[in-house]
Amino acid sequence: QQQVKQSPQSLIVQKGGISIINCAYENTAFDYFPWYQQFPGKGPALLIAIRPDVSEKKEGRFTISFNKSAKQFSLHIMDSQPGDSATYFCAARGAQKLVFGQGTRLTINP
Amino acid sequence: GAGVSQSPSNKVTEKGKDVELRCDPISGHTALYWYRQSLGQGLEFLIYFQGNSAPDKSGLPSDRFSAERTGGSVSTLTIQRTQQEDSAVYLCASSLSSGMISEQYFGPGTRLTVT
């Protein structure tokens, strides 16, 4: 019940396209859903986050869509750029700890 | 200001040896977390410290793993009698508080290789 399932494991998108990464969870007690971006050799960095009382949050080219009834949330990257190539992790907070998805390796082809 | 720092950045050790990994959190951050990231995997929670409260050790995989936080600042993760399956990147994160929805800032990690 503490798992967060993330898909796909890897994703290749053409420059200018839309990248979509999906996550699903079971624990309805989760109260905060962040997305992290990780470049090789670096620690993850917070990209964008949402609370379960909001269905969508947009920051620049990055949007989180949240479906509370389906217990799913997704990250959309509009106008994807080569600099967006990284590994992305979704996470969910419960009992003051973050549970992470397995990660998606995103490659943006120029 | 300075971010979370970790040392060493890389550590190669022989099976059976003990290792110590160090984390310096952001000054003023009361919450500190340790995670393990195996190749191609997500982040696995190990332990967290919040102020002077007893640490939450629920993620430690075995009694060979332990951690302490001295003076509410620097933390050391110790792995005794290392095994090959301990090879991973060990990440430390800190936040202003774990009681609020507060961003966790991650360090660059220590890559541990057990030969």
Side-chain angles (χ1 to χ4, degrees):
Chain A
Q1 198 178 27
Q2 288 295 320
Q3 284 187 324
V4 176
K5 296 181 180 178
Q6 182 172 347
S7 63
Q9 281 189 310
S10 63
L11 179 63
I12 300 174
V13 175
Q14 292 300 117
K15 178 182 174 182
I18 302 173
S19 303
I20 302 174
I21 304 170
N22 301 297
C23 285
Y25 64 97
E26 290 295 325
N27 187 349
T28 56
F30 287 145
D31 61 2
Y32 173 67
F33 299 87
W35 284 89
Y36 283 81
Q37 180 187 56
Q38 185 178 31
F39 293 105
K42 305 289 186 182
L46 180 67
L47 188 62
I48 186 172
I50 197 167
R51 298 191 190 206
D53 54 347
V54 177
S55 62
E56 185 175 281
K57 183 173 181 180
K58 183 176 181 179
E59 290 184 359
R61 297 184 294 109
F62 301 91
T63 300
I64 300 178
S65 296
F66 189 86
N67 186 329
K68 189 173 182 177
S69 61
K71 291 184 283 187
Q72 296 175 347
F73 58 112
S74 60
L75 175 69
H76 296 234
I77 305 175
M78 311 300 287
D79 186 26
S80 299
Q81 299 297 311
D84 297 331
S85 296
T87 299
Y88 292 81
F89 294 95
C90 63
R93 193 182 90 138
Q96 301 178 357
K97 294 175 292 193
L98 289 178
V99 178
F100 285 83
Q102 295 301 94
T104 297
R105 178 170 291 185
L106 175 65
T107 302
I108 307 300
N109 285 335
Chain B
V4 177
S5 61
Q6 293 186 245
S7 61
S9 55
N10 283 283
K11 177 72 175 178
V12 180
T13 190
E14 292 180 352
K15 176 182 173 181
K17 300 282 189 183
D18 298 351
V19 295
E20 285 189 351
L21 312 179
R22 177 186 169 107
C23 172
D24 284 86
I26 293 173
S27 177
H29 280 194
T30 61
L32 186 148
Y33 305 79
W34 283 98
Y35 296 89
R36 179 168 69 176
Q37 184 174 25
S38 301
L39 185 64
Q41 299 296 308
L43 281 72
E44 173 190 9
F45 166 79
L46 297 177
I47 186 171
Y48 94 83
F49 299 85
Q50 171 57 52
N52 295 321
S53 302
D56 179 341
K57 305 178 182 180
S58 60
L60 295 178
S62 78
D63 58 8
R64 295 186 296 105
F65 289 72
S66 63
E68 63 178 21
R69 188 178 185 191
T70 55
S73 180
V74 172
S75 178
T76 302
L77 177 69
T78 301
I79 309 173
Q80 296 178 312
R81 305 181 303 282
T82 52
Q83 304 295 311
Q84 288 187 330
E85 60 263 29
D86 299 334
S87 296
V89 175
Y90 289 82
L91 290 159
C92 174
S94 70
S95 68
L96 277 172
S97 169
S98 67
M100 302 157 37
I101 295 179
S102 179
E103 177 180 352
Q104 291 187 25
Y105 294 83
F106 282 84
T110 293
R111 181 176 297 277
L112 175 65
T113 303
V114 182
T115 61

